[in-house]
Amino acid sequence: MSDLNRIEPIIEEIQKQREGIEYWIPIIEDDFEFQGQRFDDIDTLKDFKDTFSGIMEYREQWENIYTQTKSLIKIYKDNNIKIDIEKFEKEVVDLEEAYAKLENILLKKYREENVSDFSISGTKRVARKIGLKIKGIPINSNSIAEGFMVEELEDDVDEYVFGIYKENALLNNVDRIYEELEGIVDTLLREMLLIKEYRKEVYNAYLYKQIDKINAYAPEMEYKLDLEDEPLYQWQNEAYQKWTENRYKGTFEVATGCGKTKFALYSIHRIKEQYKDIKVKIIVPTKALMDNWYDSLVQKLHIPTKYIGRRGNNRNEKKREITIYIDKTAQGKFSADFIGTITDNMVGNTNFLNFIVADECHHYESPQNIKIFDKIDYMPKDQQTGINYFSIALSATLPSDYSKNGKLKKYLGDIIYTYSFIKALGDGIISPINIVDVSYQLSIEEQKRFHMYKKELADAEKELTETLSKYNINFSQEGISSLAYYYLKEFEDILNYISEKKVEFEQQYGDKDWKIYFDEWLYEFAGRNEEIALSVKNYIGKFERLKRLLLNAEDRKKRCIELVKRHIDDKVILFGEYIKDIEEIYLELASEFGSEKIKLYHSQLDKAIKEKTIQSLKLDTTKVICVPTAFDEGVDIPDMSVGVIYQGKRSKRQQVQRLGRIMRKTKGKKSAVMYNLSNQSFGEPKFLDRFIEEQLHLLETMNDAEEKVEKIRKQLSIEFINYDEEIENSNIINKLIKKIRI
């Protein structure tokens, strides 16, 4: 019944937020001038920054706070406890009115910065084109009125990204067209408020302007980190030293949550001290990471926003000292900007050096993405230093063969520093980790199918190895699955063509005879590639069937649900591999614990629903989140203490990413635990089997003091629960629950 004491503080907080908004609204509306008085002294600006940041955070949580409070009111009613519902409802109405006023003002200011004036061209009677241009505003085609066109602009001089216009309109209709354009823009802006990441962009656009004013009071801090309040970790100093010794190029593999971004910011800080004329180019895979970097540059490195550009996701800001690119749009723009630096140096008699940061650099190893960097070797070397550009590549999960076969190292440098999670444990940067492999068993019927599928897979593997040997293709037995998936993609067109021909023969010759004629055609048609493609398809089909049997075993699912139930009051991420499978478990858990406590998160859900889920985690109203694969990189989720892997790949990268979601250290967090459902007797490896072995071997070879090594041993525990041990009464789980709840 402790929840009954929570509603009054919630109402008080609603009132406090509303009063804060109402206080700042007239000052914001008049750009920090109110009743003839300026309000832009440093103390007022800092107060605004703190208050406005709090308003933003509460705004993001508001929908969930409201839902939570309504649930508490129901508890009051069910327990016949009197409560002033009218007071709550009045405060809610007043707060939402305050938000509406504030957001009207913020949208107006955002529009001024991101929407052009109307333009008109044509003859005296007929306008060839009437329209306007926008930037920083996502286009929703459903919101574009009939008869209007949207044009993507190429390198507009004012950095607008889209043009919205009507062609061949009579000039006597201009006023009406202007009104329609106003309506379109207003709708697009209003839609931004419905999606968290864009609403945040509207709020931040104003906040960053005021932070610019704060930073202007301390120009000596421009491009500098505040290392007194937040000193570097030892690894960050060591990594910087390695980077300088390697002539300012290198790849860094650093465990999740250990400060990769801060290391890159510090490197920019130091290089800017030595070389005044640098152009920083940061490449990221997602908008969330673009926003995170922009925020860090403004708030941590104290860089004026006018010096920072964004290219991609409705932005095309050029000619800045620092530019952030999203990889999907970076290829042409990055190369053009890189070459542009050379041209600028020649024309302006300057000597700018480029500084490249590739965040989550494992994304850029693909044949398409690696083209982003194919022009950077054109940069001439600086005469004094012999350096043509600085580069830092960052990742927590590099491919295992990166040093041998990595394409990116040619441009940005090989791995020169690794900071493993075992070292991070020793330094106290991440939470102590408990890894528990939980075995399950197959039913008698499942075992029969397992042995039948396994035999058929062995036959398919034998056929595939014979086909590969026939055509002198080198392979290892251990890597045959990876090779098969490679060829499945490589020969996709061939397999599609064969499937189409199969349908033709079925239609032409009927159920009885089609296969005879089809096999004759195939015998005549098939050459090397067709034979390999068909062998690969047969092997993959058998492999996937066996894999699905294990991933959907009844006891696996049962034990997974039991694990979640044991931790129902902790913060849990349940990882799956397929949306359909994870939805089944979600529905079963939600039916018992409610859809507020258990949430689902996957790519096919509406963005607004996913954002609401993240906020409910932050508010602690949701305890368990069910996800296939993993969260997107850059998505900010509250710290979780328990992971349960229902299904997963053998990929080290996926497993390390999942581990990273629970091992971030936060205030009050004592420990984290990762459960992995597998059965070694069916060929499934333990969680991070080789990786953990490598880390333990590293521990044995560490030169650190014996005391530190012993400390690390205590912070990394590896346990095993056999299939015949009950989850409900497991002593191992009982101990772990005590550990994480201390």
Side-chain angles (χ1 to χ4, degrees):
M1 299 299 292
S2 61
D3 279 346
L4 299 180
N5 300 320
R6 292 170 58 190
I7 193 161
E8 282 302 325
I10 289 173
I11 292 174
E12 287 172 10
E13 184 60 31
I14 292 172
Q15 187 177 5
K16 178 185 169 185
Q17 290 294 325
R18 190 250 309 156
E19 288 172 351
I21 295 168
E22 288 176 346
Y23 173 80
W24 286 107
I25 277 177
I27 296 171
I28 293 170
E29 191 165 24
D30 291 332
D31 282 325
F32 282 73
E33 185 174 320
F34 184 58
Q35 295 181 350
Q37 183 180 351
R38 292 296 301 170
F39 282 81
D40 53 3
D41 59 280
I42 185 68
D43 292 331
T44 302
L45 288 168
K46 284 183 175 180
D47 182 32
F48 170 79
K49 175 191 167 186
D50 294 339
T51 307
F52 195 74
S53 297
I55 289 170
M56 284 175 61
E57 186 177 348
Y58 199 80
R59 175 67 177 89
E60 298 313 314
Q61 298 174 1
W62 169 240
E63 190 174 342
N64 287 302
I65 291 170
Y66 177 74
T67 304
Q68 178 190 14
T69 310
K70 294 288 279 186
S71 300
L72 289 175
I73 288 172
K74 185 178 183 302
I75 295 172
Y76 270 72
K77 287 182 175 178
D78 291 346
N79 287 274
N80 297 316
I81 297 172
K82 289 183 178 179
I83 176 175
D84 190 349
I85 296 175
E86 287 185 6
K87 180 183 177 184
F88 167 70
E89 290 179 344
K90 182 181 184 305
E91 287 297 341
V92 167
V93 170
D94 290 347
L95 178 64
E96 291 185 342
E97 283 181 359
Y99 274 132
K101 288 177 186 175
L102 174 63
E103 286 169 2
N104 279 335
I105 295 166
L106 294 177
L107 279 182
K108 181 182 176 184
K109 294 182 180 301
Y110 193 83
R111 188 193 193 287
E112 289 168 0
E113 297 288 330
N114 295 284
V115 181
S116 75
D117 293 331
F118 295 110
S119 64
I120 184 167
S121 63
T123 66
K124 290 182 179 180
R125 295 185 59 195
V126 179
R128 187 174 65 82
K129 190 181 283 189
I130 301 175
L132 48 71
K133 295 182 283 189
I134 63 173
K135 56 187 174 183
I137 301 172
I139 290 287
N140 177 0
S141 57
N142 294 326
S143 300
I144 306 301
E146 188 177 347
F148 286 87
M149 311 285 288
V150 176
E151 175 187 19
E152 189 166 357
L153 306 173
E154 284 294 326
D155 293 324
D156 181 76
V157 68
D158 294 313
E159 301 179 343
Y160 290 104
V161 179
F162 296 108
I164 305 172
Y165 61 90
K166 179 170 273 193
E167 288 185 317
N168 302 321
L170 294 174
L171 288 179
N172 57 8
N173 291 330
V174 166
D175 289 342
R176 180 177 56 81
I177 293 170
Y178 282 172
E179 286 179 13
E180 289 180 296
L181 281 167
E182 283 281 6
I184 292 170
V185 170
D186 186 60
T187 300
L188 293 175
L189 286 168
R190 292 282 163 198
E191 286 172 346
M192 290 183 74
L193 297 178
L194 303 177
I195 299 172
K196 176 193 166 186
E197 65 179 289
Y198 291 115
R199 180 170 63 237
K200 193 174 179 181
E201 195 165 329
V202 172
Y203 274 77
N204 272 334
Y206 192 77
L207 176 62
Y208 291 146
K209 277 191 167 187
Q210 312 319 315
I211 293 174
D212 274 350
K213 294 176 186 176
I214 294 171
N215 290 339
Y217 277 93
E220 70 280 2
M221 286 302 295
E222 194 174 299
Y223 276 95
K224 288 184 174 64
L225 286 171
D226 186 351
L227 297 175
E228 286 187 16
D229 290 342
E230 294 182 36
L232 295 179
Y233 293 130
Q234 182 181 336
W235 82 260
Q236 291 165 329
N237 277 312
E238 290 174 358
Y240 181 78
Q241 186 60 35
K242 285 280 186 186
W243 186 60
T244 59
E245 291 168 4
N246 202 53
R247 296 188 59 73
Y248 305 103
K249 289 184 175 66
T251 298
F252 299 81
E253 186 170 26
V254 179
T256 301
C258 293
K260 293 190 295 292
T261 302
K262 186 173 179 179
F263 162 68
L265 293 173
Y266 175 68
S267 302
I268 295 168
H269 161 166
R270 291 294 304 273
I271 292 302
K272 185 66 175 176
E273 286 179 335
Q274 300 170 58
Y275 305 92
K276 299 299 180 188
D277 297 331
I278 61 168
K279 299 276 191 183
V280 181
K281 294 172 170 55
I282 301 165
I283 303 172
V284 297
T286 64
K287 182 184 186 303
L289 282 170
M290 173 184 269
D291 293 342
N292 290 348
W293 271 97
Y294 191 91
D295 188 75
S296 294
L297 291 165
V298 174
Q299 302 223 49
K300 295 185 183 300
L301 218 51
H302 311 102
I303 297 174
T305 54
K306 65 183 179 181
Y307 296 157
I308 309 169
R310 292 159 291 184
R311 303 200 76 179
N313 204 272
N314 312 308
R315 294 285 181 187
N316 192 23
E317 297 157 351
K318 303 166 290 178
K319 301 285 186 182
R320 305 293 204 275
E321 288 187 11
I322 299 179
T323 307
I324 312 168
Y325 305 81
I326 295 180
D327 64 357
K328 289 177 183 175
T329 57
Q331 192 169 312
K333 291 178 169 64
F334 177 86
S335 295
D337 288 357
F338 209 92
I339 297 299
T341 305
I342 302 174
T343 307
D344 290 345
N345 284 345
M346 292 170 63
V347 173
N349 196 28
T350 55
N351 193 29
F352 282 103
L353 284 168
N354 280 299
F355 188 139
I356 303 163
V357 179
D359 196 11
E360 304 295 349
C361 66
H362 51 272
H363 283 273
Y364 316 128
E365 281 287 300
S366 70
Q368 187 65 25
N369 281 341
I370 199 68
K371 292 177 183 176
I372 294 169
F373 306 97
D374 62 5
K375 298 289 192 302
I376 66 176
D377 282 336
Y378 289 102
M379 195 73 191
K381 291 183 179 179
D382 178 62
Q383 291 182 355
Q384 291 183 338
T385 63
I387 296 166
N388 53 353
Y389 57 88
F390 307 94
S391 60
I392 288 176
L394 301 167
S395 177
T397 52
L398 287 170
S400 56
D401 63 345
Y402 183 87
S403 283
K404 183 179 179 183
N405 300 317
K407 304 176 186 71
L408 191 62
K409 67 173 187 174
K410 170 188 171 185
Y411 301 108
L412 305 187
D414 206 344
I415 302 171
I416 61 170
Y417 192 86
T418 299
Y419 189 65
S420 65
F421 96 88
I422 204 87
K423 288 183 179 178
L425 273 176
D427 292 338
I429 295 177
I430 58 173
S431 292
I433 303 293
N434 307 277
I435 294 171
V436 187
D437 278 285
V438 181
S439 186
Y440 66 93
Q441 59 186 337
L442 296 179
S443 66
I444 293 173
E445 178 57 36
E446 286 170 337
Q447 286 184 48
K448 285 180 183 176
R449 281 190 284 147
F450 174 79
H451 291 299
M452 180 177 72
Y453 293 170
K454 191 175 181 183
K455 182 181 180 305
E456 290 180 8
L457 175 62
D459 293 341
E461 185 174 323
K462 183 182 176 185
E463 179 198 322
L464 178 57
T465 55
E466 287 173 355
T467 303
L468 295 173
S469 299
K470 174 181 174 181
Y471 292 107
N472 299 315
I473 296 172
N474 295 323
F475 64 93
S476 66
Q477 211 63 40
E478 191 180 64
I480 196 165
S481 295
S482 299
L483 186 64
Y485 279 102
Y486 167 78
Y487 276 121
L488 187 69
K489 190 172 182 179
E490 187 77 6
F491 294 141
E492 185 179 1
D493 290 343
I494 291 173
L495 290 168
N496 287 339
Y497 177 68
I498 292 172
S499 295
E500 289 168 7
K501 293 300 289 184
K502 180 182 171 184
V503 171
E504 284 181 25
F505 277 89
E506 286 175 338
Q507 292 172 346
Q508 187 173 351
Y509 296 104
D511 292 343
K512 263 190 176 183
D513 301 326
W514 77 267
K515 195 168 187 318
I516 298 168
Y517 291 103
F518 175 74
D519 287 344
E520 287 178 1
W521 170 82
L522 192 59
Y523 180 78
E524 293 290 330
F525 169 74
R528 171 192 180 274
N529 290 352
E530 289 72 26
E531 193 173 344
I532 293 171
L534 289 167
S535 291
V536 161
K537 184 182 179 184
N538 181 45
Y539 171 82
I540 294 292
K542 301 293 191 295
F543 181 85
E544 286 289 333
R545 185 176 62 170
L546 181 61
K547 176 182 165 186
R548 291 290 293 173
L549 173 68
L550 296 176
L551 291 181
N552 291 108
E554 279 302 314
D555 194 48
R556 185 186 196 120
K557 180 179 177 181
K558 174 175 171 284
R559 287 170 80 75
C560 170
I561 291 171
E562 287 172 349
L563 285 169
V564 175
K565 287 181 178 180
R566 287 301 311 271
H567 287 280
I568 199 64
D569 291 319
D570 302 309
K571 284 289 192 73
V572 182
I573 304 184
L574 173 58
F575 294 105
E577 196 61 33
Y578 302 98
I579 290 175
K580 179 178 176 292
D581 297 342
I582 207 73
E583 280 180 339
E584 286 179 6
I585 290 191
Y586 160 73
L587 290 170
E588 189 162 334
L589 287 167
S591 68
E592 182 171 350
F593 297 104
S595 59
E596 189 61 35
K597 198 163 192 173
I598 316 290
K599 292 286 187 185
L600 186 65
Y601 185 105
H602 59 70
S603 59
Q604 293 178 13
L605 292 173
D606 184 78
K607 186 178 282 189
I609 293 173
K610 291 194 286 185
E611 288 171 355
K612 186 177 177 182
T613 295
I614 299 301
Q615 292 306 318
S616 65
L617 280 169
K618 289 181 178 179
L619 283 170
D620 213 24
T621 53
T622 292
K623 291 293 188 181
V624 180
I625 186 161
C626 306
V627 296
T629 61
F631 288 98
D632 299 328
E633 283 158 332
V635 172
D636 176 30
I637 67 163
D639 187 61
M640 313 297 279
S641 55
V642 179
V644 178
I645 299 178
Y646 170 48
Q647 302 166 327
K649 295 176 181 175
R650 300 183 183 188
S651 140
K652 170 188 163 185
R653 180 180 300 165
Q654 186 195 70
Q655 292 181 354
V656 169
Q657 283 174 340
R658 288 177 167 185
L659 191 62
R661 287 298 184 183
I662 65 165
M663 67 185 189
R664 289 182 185 273
K665 193 168 187 177
T666 54
K667 188 178 179 181
K669 183 174 178 180
K670 303 298 181 185
S671 186
V673 57
M674 179 68 85
Y675 296 100
N676 177 55
L677 285 142
S678 64
N679 192 318
Q680 285 77 62
S681 63
F682 303 139
E684 294 179 298
K686 292 181 179 179
F687 179 73
L688 284 173
D689 197 11
R690 290 185 183 174
F691 179 70
I692 296 295
E693 281 182 19
E694 290 169 8
Q695 297 297 307
L696 290 174
H697 175 69
L698 180 64
L699 183 60
E700 298 291 343
T701 58
M702 284 176 71
N703 296 322
D704 291 318
E706 189 175 325
E707 184 181 332
K708 186 173 181 180
V709 173
E710 186 57 33
K711 178 185 173 185
I712 294 172
R713 287 187 180 283
K714 289 179 180 177
Q715 292 182 314
L716 173 64
S717 75
I718 299 171
E719 306 280 0
F720 177 75
I721 298 176
N722 200 25
Y723 67 84
D724 57 359
E725 183 178 344
E726 289 184 3
I727 299 295
E728 189 176 348
N729 300 314
S730 167
N731 288 327
I732 291 172
I733 296 176
N734 290 338
K735 289 176 185 175
L736 291 173
I737 288 174
K738 285 181 182 177
K739 258 189 180 184
I740 63 178
R741 292 182 187 172
I742 289 173

